[in-house]
Amino acid sequence: MELPNGSTTDQAPADPAATDDVLATQPVGYWCGLTQTAVTRHLRDAMARIDVTQPQYWVLNRVHGGPAPSREEVVAQLTHLADGPHEIGRVVDQLLHREWLRIDDGRRLHLTDAGGAARVRIRELATEVRAVVHRGIGDEEYVAALKVLRRMVANVEGHGGPGGPS
């Protein structure tokens, strides 16, 4: 059977033990979900060992450099990444309590010296975690994988077809 994309590869049930010769039949959603869960868990476990969270790192990075954002701007810009609509606001409160952030008279957020040092420390940890995740994967291979995923997103979000917008 030839599929609409010209391929003859059909979809098979997700199989974490699939051999290389049948990987083309595996559902990308399953493997992307599995990857996201494993990588996020690994990163968050590493961050927990130094008593920080991934959302705290997002906020520290957002406040670092550029014009100082308001609390509302940080919440609006990062909520789509968070586990819920109130998480980023809570993180801002945590970082203010830790004195890693301060608010000026204009209600703008700034990193304190301690917050800047923490951001650098967390960035170093994130770089170490990235090295573990990317072990054995060259930049060319990584870029190719991301280009394929980006194309798949464009295929389902930007074009008509089965299950997509018309």
Side-chain angles (χ1 to χ4, degrees):
M1 168 175 93
E2 186 165 324
L3 300 173
N5 66 359
S7 170
T8 56
T9 304
D10 201 358
Q11 183 80 18
D15 179 3
T19 58
D20 287 359
D21 61 319
V22 296
L23 280 178
T25 67
Q26 291 291 288
V28 69
Y30 168 78
W31 287 98
C32 288
L34 191 64
T35 302
Q36 180 180 0
T37 298
V39 170
T40 301
R41 182 179 51 242
H42 183 75
L43 176 62
R44 290 183 175 184
D45 287 350
M47 288 180 165
R49 288 191 286 277
I50 62 168
D51 194 29
V52 296
T53 67
Q54 188 179 31
Q56 288 172 343
Y57 183 45
W58 298 334
V59 171
L60 292 172
N61 276 329
R62 174 56 194 93
V63 174
H64 173 72
S70 69
R71 174 193 190 92
E72 293 75 20
E73 289 168 339
V74 170
V75 168
Q77 292 168 358
L78 297 177
T79 293
H80 74 282
L81 299 171
D83 290 336
H86 306 290
E87 182 177 25
I88 299 302
R90 290 179 186 132
V91 166
V92 170
D93 290 339
Q94 290 168 346
L95 296 176
L96 288 165
H97 177 75
R98 279 189 177 191
E99 298 181 355
W100 288 3
L101 291 180
R102 67 175 178 80
I103 298 179
D104 66 20
D105 293 339
R107 308 295 296 157
R108 297 292 178 177
L109 296 169
H110 301 272
L111 290 180
T112 64
D113 289 344
R119 190 191 72 77
V120 169
R121 203 168 50 251
I122 301 165
R123 183 175 181 82
E124 290 168 354
L125 175 67
T127 299
E128 291 169 13
V129 168
R130 184 183 192 281
V132 169
V133 171
H134 288 244
R135 189 173 32 231
I137 302 167
D139 286 349
E140 186 176 300
E141 188 177 12
Y142 180 71
V143 168
L146 293 187
K147 287 171 83 172
V148 167
L149 294 173
R150 187 168 57 187
R151 176 63 183 263
M152 288 179 174
V153 170
N155 286 346
V156 297
E157 289 186 350
H159 303 288
S166 12

